[in-house]
Amino acid sequence: GAVVSQHPSRVICKSGTSVKIECRSLDFQATTMFWYRQFPKQSLMLMATSNEGSKATYEQGVEKDKFLINHASLTLSTLTVTSAHPEDSSFYICSASWFGRGAHGDNEQFFGPGTRLTVL
Amino acid sequence: AQSVTQPDIHITVSEGASLELRCNYSYGATPYLFWYVQSPGQGLQLLLKYFSGDTLVQGIKGFEAEFKRSQSSFNLRKPSVHWSDAAEYFCAVGAGNFGNEKLTFGTGTRLTIIP
């Protein structure tokens, strides 16, 4: 497989502040990174897809001005939650892919361990 | 739009017993289907994937899944579970290149193993 890390693993912040979450592919270069959100006892919901050097593509209903995504290098993508509010509290998961790296020689997504965001 | 249903929120199985986790999907074309496992503190790990060919797919850790088009199902099975199999399991359907570009997940099934 391939290793994807996220930092921090857990963050607590006050309402109105901004929080940045990092997603790194440790042993491969990722042309595409994905950001998901997971509410308790619910499935992962894709928020956005980012390709290195390009603007992220956001899913319908996701506020691009609130969830800023930067994919500046082949190993790093960041998600910034701006002016966070309690309803933004959630588990944020990233994944990364590179064509040919997957078990079937495809662009399988490799997932990070997630970041738990709590907004007070 | 594609969707996935996992009807069982929580399943408890004795160690050594067989396991079947259910998954039903909705997709307009031939689907790419996945099973992932999520352990606490770890990212989702791909157990197996169906994209064509043989409808019985073998995966890692002794898991297998069978694609049944007539039933729109992709159930996950294991003949004998181990305590280390306790985790959350997600079924997903994919779209795009090799189905990896747009994954839609089910709500997950939590598996508890009792000794």
Side-chain angles (χ1 to χ4, degrees), chain A residues 43 59 99 106-107 109 112, chain B residues 43 49 90 97-98 100 102 106:
Chain A
S43 67
E59 295 299 302
F99 203 93
D106 61 3
N107 54 341
Q109 291 186 35
Chain B
K49 172 182 179 180
F90 290 93
N97 280 334
F98 296 92
N100 287 318
K102 210 166 192 74

Side-chain angles (χ1 to χ4, degrees), chain A residues 34 36 38 41-44 46 59 91 93 99 104 106-109 111-113, chain B residues 36 38 41-44 46 49 51 90 97-98 100-103 105-107 110:
Chain A
F34 304 82
Y36 295 84
Q38 185 180 24
K41 302 190 187 303
Q42 295 188 29
S43 67
L44 285 77
L46 179 65
E59 295 299 302
F91 194 55
I93 300 172
F99 203 93
H104 301 278
D106 61 3
N107 54 341
E108 173 185 341
Q109 291 186 35
F111 287 81
Chain B
Y36 287 88
Q38 184 182 36
Q42 298 187 25
L44 276 76
L46 180 65
K49 172 182 179 180
F51 51 98
F90 290 93
N97 280 334
F98 296 92
N100 287 318
E101 294 180 352
K102 210 166 192 74
L103 295 176
F105 289 86
T107 50
R110 176 172 295 180

Side-chain angles (χ1 to χ4, degrees), chain B residues 57-76:
Chain B
V57 182
Q58 301 297 321
I60 62 171
K61 303 185 181 187
F63 286 93
E64 66 177 26
E66 186 171 12
F67 170 58
K68 293 186 177 180
R69 184 187 300 274
S70 62
Q71 298 177 20
S72 297
S73 69
F74 189 56
N75 294 348
L76 182 71

